[in-house]
Amino acid sequence: MEIYIFRVSSSKKNKRLIIFSNNQRPPLILPMASSHTHSPQDPKPLIVIHRIPSFSLTFAHRLIPSFSLFDPLAAAGDADPAAVLRSHAAEARAVLCVGPSPLGKETLDCLPSLEVVVTQCAGTDHIDLSECRRRGIAVANLGDAFSDDVADCAVGLLIDVLRKISASDRFVRAGSWPERGEFSLGVRVDSYADLQLEGKQVGIVGLGSIGSRIADRLIPFGCMISYTSRHKKPNVSYPYYRNIHDLAIKSDILILSCSLTDQTHHIVNKQVLAELGKDGVIINVGRGALINERELVKFLVEGEIGGAGLDVFEDEPNVPKELFGLDNVVLSPHQAVLTPESIKAAQDVVVANLEAFFSNKPLLTPIGWD
Amino acid sequence: MEIYIFRVSSSKKNKRLIIFSNNQRPPLILPMASSHTHSPQDPKPLIVIHRIPSFSLTFAHRLIPSFSLFDPLAAAGDADPAAVLRSHAAEARAVLCVGPSPLGKETLDCLPSLEVVVTQCAGTDHIDLSECRRRGIAVANLGDAFSDDVADCAVGLLIDVLRKISASDRFVRAGSWPERGEFSLGVRVDSYADLQLEGKQVGIVGLGSIGSRIADRLIPFGCMISYTSRHKKPNVSYPYYRNIHDLAIKSDILILSCSLTDQTHHIVNKQVLAELGKDGVIINVGRGALINERELVKFLVEGEIGGAGLDVFEDEPNVPKELFGLDNVVLSPHQAVLTPESIKAAQDVVVANLEAFFSNKPLLTPIGWD
């Protein structure tokens, strides 16, 4: 059996690749050395790399000393990847998800020996969790490796929307300051009362490792935190609301930091936006499909909501063009997790989970099945 | 003696006016009522409004019930404002500075009865403080009315520079995400390690009401704070450095939140920028002239410093055009104090100081003479 080793490509689609590669020593263009081939005699455990074409494994050098890596996508060529998987990796006990490659029943059917799925993604919405659970396959996510970065990004987007930092930066760069002598602060002149952070009611949707870090950060700004989540958190003193509607009614600002699941898909709909109200601001660092984007665009364009800071979108990399002209909106290309420190931390978690599994130790960051 | 009442103008230069006016009830276009004239029989104390043409008093309605207001600029017409001041306001005991109108020896010479200067500005660099002190004239600033807003803005600029929020917003709005499939994160690909806030050494220059609020806000992000100021602060546990050089050497990020004085003019010079280093980031929410702007531009253009978030500039509203193309720079048109909540708070402080003075009570926010 051959092993496929990934090259650092400068493909324009490989955003994460390019970024990762700057953090890599030694460089990731590894030789296709025969010593790395996987054969029945190879004592190294086999890991299937599950990815979509635009993502590649960027830290293969950290895994190759201990594991054999098999990439069905690279191996398949013109052949059917499922067939390649069946014929070459039927004995694999572990899958490593690289990027948000959907992992569902069809792939799992090809891997009858599978015991663990380790993902390099911040979210697990690409994995069919209930199917894994049904088959007794453990799933390890990244724990809180990305949580600080995402929380920082959420706060940055919030300050930016309220204080119109990106909009005023555009204003200055356009040379408008000397020409116009004023900064109009966007179209909604009557809603300046939204600008100060102090005293704002911030509703956090999903008070997990990211949401709780956002709360920690906003407290010194004088924000008042409340939240909704599947369950009321023990040892958390912030007011809890059973559903997003009650939270939206109470909040000036709604921050989405929950997972995307069947239950949270379009959790922000027309009704929630109306409840948040004309001066309300929405920040999304979760997943685009948490919001009914068509409705959000309508509310923003019609001035029925105060503003939005969005790191994620329903149809990435496509962003509704109606938003491009709005000064009360900040648009970020799904980069809340893109600092090298957190990428390194995420790689550490992936390696540690795989090493733990093959040493018969508990996974570091298994997801719960609640 | 006639009284001059200010009109809300929609002049394009009157940025603050336009913004203030949205917050005003009743509207500020007050009638030129004869009952408001100031005469020797008028029992209401006289306040001289000291301003530059592009600024006007926007809360006259709050002062007129208790005070007579005299605006030499409006009264002078083609005449010499100093002569008008001498002949019409020699008995004035109070001056209200509206906007950063320079107040020096020449004006003070026209006001022999002056006892107090109250300013509506966040800074006092427009007032000749040593001359006031020599003459025994008290000066009241705005205390910490604007401090929360400025601190929020400083943190917003910092997150924006590190995480390139404005740059990525431009990237998305330009339609580049689907086209290029990546966000290049600016020109300095080798310095991604600067992006995360956690663990960064933040040096604050001036740990007053603004600087200490910035520190409070950055602690939950995992930043490590140290500072320099005229004196070591009692009851502050952050490491203190006697001068900006030692602080810059120690810091990843330098935040300027001190007053502009003779001592702090160009406090950030070529040497400090070199000490801060190639990955260093500088945030300025104080005054433009705290930095030798020409040197800063040179360092930024040549990649000798990591990035900058600037709310203030040496020659506002003119911003060096060399900065317009840089993605590691965020440019804000001196708007750190422009939320309606803080503008209202500032007006409250001005009114309270004037009422205290004329009731023979202590000023609320006198500046110290240390």
Side-chain angles (χ1 to χ4, degrees):
Chain A
M1 183 183 295
E2 273 188 283
I3 180 161
Y4 295 87
I5 298 175
F6 314 101
R7 295 170 50 98
V8 173
S9 135
S10 59
S11 152
K12 289 189 170 177
K13 288 282 177 191
N14 282 341
K15 169 184 176 181
R16 280 156 189 82
L17 243 195
I18 292 166
I19 291 163
F20 287 0
S21 65
N22 297 297
N23 217 25
Q24 302 292 349
R25 288 182 182 76
L28 271 183
I29 302 169
L30 300 171
M32 298 287 277
S34 60
S35 64
H36 287 147
T37 53
H38 177 73
S39 75
Q41 292 74 42
D42 192 336
K44 291 192 282 183
L46 178 63
I47 297 172
V48 172
I49 306 302
H50 185 68
R51 65 181 183 101
I52 47 177
S54 60
F55 282 78
S56 296
L57 182 68
T58 56
F59 55 105
H61 64 286
R62 295 187 60 183
L63 297 171
I64 285 171
S66 307
F67 305 103
S68 289
L69 308 180
F70 178 69
D71 178 8
L73 202 63
D78 294 336
D80 171 25
V84 171
L85 201 56
R86 266 182 223 274
S87 59
H88 287 74
E91 80 278 26
R93 295 169 61 207
V95 159
L96 168 53
C97 292
V98 177
S101 25
L103 179 61
K105 197 169 175 304
E106 192 180 331
T107 305
L108 296 174
D109 282 345
C110 305
L111 298 164
S113 303
L114 194 64
E115 293 173 49
V116 68
V117 173
V118 174
T119 179
Q120 192 198 346
C121 273
T124 51
D125 49 296
H126 58 292
I127 302 170
D128 186 338
L129 294 179
S130 56
E131 192 60 32
C132 287
R133 183 181 192 179
R134 203 178 63 75
R135 295 172 188 233
I137 299 167
V139 177
N141 65 11
L142 292 177
D144 57 8
F146 283 143
S147 303
D148 281 312
D149 277 359
V150 180
D152 292 354
C153 182
V155 176
L157 287 172
L158 175 59
I159 302 177
D160 196 323
V161 171
L162 293 186
R163 305 297 305 271
K164 299 206 165 53
I165 293 178
S166 291
S168 49
D169 178 90
R170 282 197 300 278
F171 175 84
V172 173
R173 284 173 199 253
S176 301
W177 194 8
E179 282 170 24
R180 291 175 47 197
E182 60 174 287
F183 173 50
S184 71
L185 293 171
V187 290
R188 300 185 55 254
V189 175
D190 57 335
S191 71
Y192 289 127
D194 287 338
L195 288 170
Q196 195 171 58
L197 273 82
E198 184 169 8
K200 289 289 181 291
Q201 294 284 350
V202 176
I204 298 181
V205 181
L207 199 74
S209 67
I210 294 169
S212 58
R213 282 168 168 81
I214 293 171
D216 291 345
R217 283 155 172 72
L218 287 178
I219 291 293
F221 288 87
C223 295
M224 332 279 273
I225 308 292
S226 51
Y227 74 105
T228 186
S229 62
R230 278 171 297 183
H231 311 292
K232 188 176 187 316
K233 306 276 176 187
N235 307 320
V236 166
S237 60
Y238 308 129
Y240 168 71
Y241 291 88
R242 281 174 179 279
N243 62 64
I244 196 172
H245 300 288
D246 294 342
L247 186 71
I249 288 167
K250 180 74 191 309
S251 300
D252 302 307
I253 293 149
L254 215 52
I255 301 184
L256 307 182
S257 54
C258 60
S259 305
L260 177 63
T261 64
D262 289 346
Q263 286 72 43
T264 61
H265 184 265
H266 282 197
I267 191 173
V268 175
N269 55 21
K270 191 175 169 177
Q271 188 185 343
V272 171
L273 293 168
E275 286 157 349
L276 191 57
K278 269 182 186 278
D279 291 329
V281 166
I282 197 157
I283 303 295
N284 191 2
V285 290
R287 285 289 178 271
L290 294 172
I291 303 179
N292 183 327
E293 194 169 274
R294 207 159 52 90
E295 288 294 345
L296 176 64
V297 169
K298 204 165 160 241
F299 270 70
L300 283 165
V301 167
E302 295 176 359
E304 293 298 317
I305 192 171
L310 307 170
D311 185 54
V312 286
F313 303 88
E314 279 207 79
D315 181 30
E316 296 169 8
N318 299 301
V319 175
K321 292 193 173 38
E322 298 92 320
L323 302 181
F324 290 3
L326 302 184
D327 275 351
N328 53 339
V329 173
V330 181
L331 306 168
S332 170
H334 199 148
Q335 62 167 28
V337 299
L338 285 183
T339 76
E341 295 95 332
S342 64
I343 288 167
K344 168 72 168 55
Q347 295 172 358
D348 291 347
V349 172
V350 166
V351 172
N353 271 311
L354 289 169
E355 286 176 348
F357 173 76
F358 285 108
S359 312
N360 298 315
K361 291 179 184 157
L363 293 172
L364 274 77
T365 52
I367 67 160
W369 296 120
D370 60 349
Chain B
M1 183 183 291
E2 272 187 286
I3 180 158
Y4 295 86
I5 299 175
F6 314 99
R7 295 168 51 97
V8 173
S9 135
S10 59
S11 150
K12 289 187 171 176
K13 288 282 176 193
N14 282 341
K15 171 184 175 182
R16 281 160 187 80
L17 243 194
I18 291 165
I19 291 164
F20 286 0
S21 66
N22 295 297
N23 218 25
Q24 302 292 348
R25 287 182 184 76
L28 271 183
I29 303 170
L30 299 171
M32 298 286 277
S34 60
S35 64
H36 286 147
T37 53
H38 178 71
S39 74
Q41 291 75 40
D42 192 335
K44 291 192 281 184
L46 177 64
I47 297 172
V48 171
I49 307 301
H50 185 68
R51 65 183 182 101
I52 47 178
S54 61
F55 281 78
S56 299
L57 181 68
T58 56
F59 55 106
H61 63 287
R62 295 186 62 183
L63 297 171
I64 285 171
S66 308
F67 305 103
S68 289
L69 308 180
F70 179 67
D71 178 9
L73 202 63
D78 294 335
D80 172 25
V84 171
L85 201 56
R86 265 184 225 276
S87 59
H88 288 73
E91 81 277 25
R93 296 168 60 207
V95 159
L96 168 54
C97 292
V98 176
S101 24
L103 179 61
K105 196 168 174 304
E106 192 180 333
T107 306
L108 296 174
D109 281 345
C110 305
L111 298 165
S113 303
L114 194 63
E115 293 172 48
V116 68
V117 172
V118 173
T119 178
Q120 193 198 345
C121 272
T124 50
D125 49 296
H126 58 295
I127 301 170
D128 186 338
L129 294 179
S130 55
E131 192 59 32
C132 286
R133 185 182 189 177
R134 204 180 62 74
R135 295 172 187 233
I137 298 167
V139 177
N141 65 10
L142 292 177
D144 57 8
F146 283 143
S147 303
D148 281 312
D149 277 0
V150 180
D152 292 354
C153 183
V155 176
L157 288 172
L158 175 58
I159 302 177
D160 196 322
V161 171
L162 293 185
R163 304 297 305 274
K164 299 207 166 52
I165 293 178
S166 290
S168 50
D169 178 90
R170 280 197 301 278
F171 175 84
V172 173
R173 283 174 200 251
S176 301
W177 195 8
E179 281 169 24
R180 291 174 48 197
E182 60 175 284
F183 174 52
S184 70
L185 292 172
V187 291
R188 299 186 55 252
V189 176
D190 57 336
S191 71
Y192 289 127
D194 287 339
L195 287 170
Q196 194 171 60
L197 273 83
E198 184 169 8
K200 289 290 178 292
Q201 294 284 351
V202 176
I204 298 181
V205 181
L207 199 73
S209 67
I210 294 169
S212 58
R213 281 168 169 81
I214 293 171
D216 290 346
R217 282 156 172 73
L218 287 178
I219 291 294
F221 288 87
C223 296
M224 332 278 273
I225 308 293
S226 50
Y227 74 105
T228 186
S229 62
R230 279 171 296 183
H231 311 291
K232 189 176 187 314
K233 306 275 175 185
N235 307 318
V236 165
S237 60
Y238 308 129
Y240 169 72
Y241 292 88
R242 281 175 181 278
N243 61 64
I244 196 170
H245 300 289
D246 294 342
L247 186 71
I249 289 166
K250 179 75 193 308
S251 299
D252 302 307
I253 293 150
L254 215 52
I255 301 184
L256 307 183
S257 54
C258 60
S259 304
L260 177 62
T261 64
D262 289 346
Q263 287 71 44
T264 61
H265 184 267
H266 283 196
I267 190 172
V268 175
N269 54 21
K270 192 175 170 175
Q271 187 185 343
V272 171
L273 292 168
E275 285 157 349
L276 190 57
K278 269 182 186 279
D279 291 328
V281 166
I282 197 156
I283 304 294
N284 191 2
V285 291
R287 285 288 179 269
L290 294 172
I291 304 180
N292 183 327
E293 194 168 275
R294 208 159 52 89
E295 287 294 346
L296 176 64
V297 169
K298 202 162 161 243
F299 269 71
L300 283 165
V301 168
E302 294 175 358
E304 292 299 316
I305 192 171
L310 307 170
D311 185 53
V312 285
F313 303 88
E314 278 206 82
D315 181 30
E316 296 172 7
N318 299 302
V319 175
K321 291 194 173 36
E322 299 93 319
L323 303 180
F324 290 3
L326 302 183
D327 274 351
N328 54 338
V329 173
V330 182
L331 306 168
S332 170
H334 200 148
Q335 62 166 27
V337 299
L338 285 183
T339 76
E341 294 94 333
S342 63
I343 288 167
K344 169 70 169 56
Q347 295 172 357
D348 291 347
V349 172
V350 166
V351 172
N353 272 310
L354 289 169
E355 286 176 348
F357 173 75
F358 285 108
S359 312
N360 298 315
K361 292 180 185 157
L363 293 171
L364 274 77
T365 52
I367 67 161
W369 297 121
D370 60 349

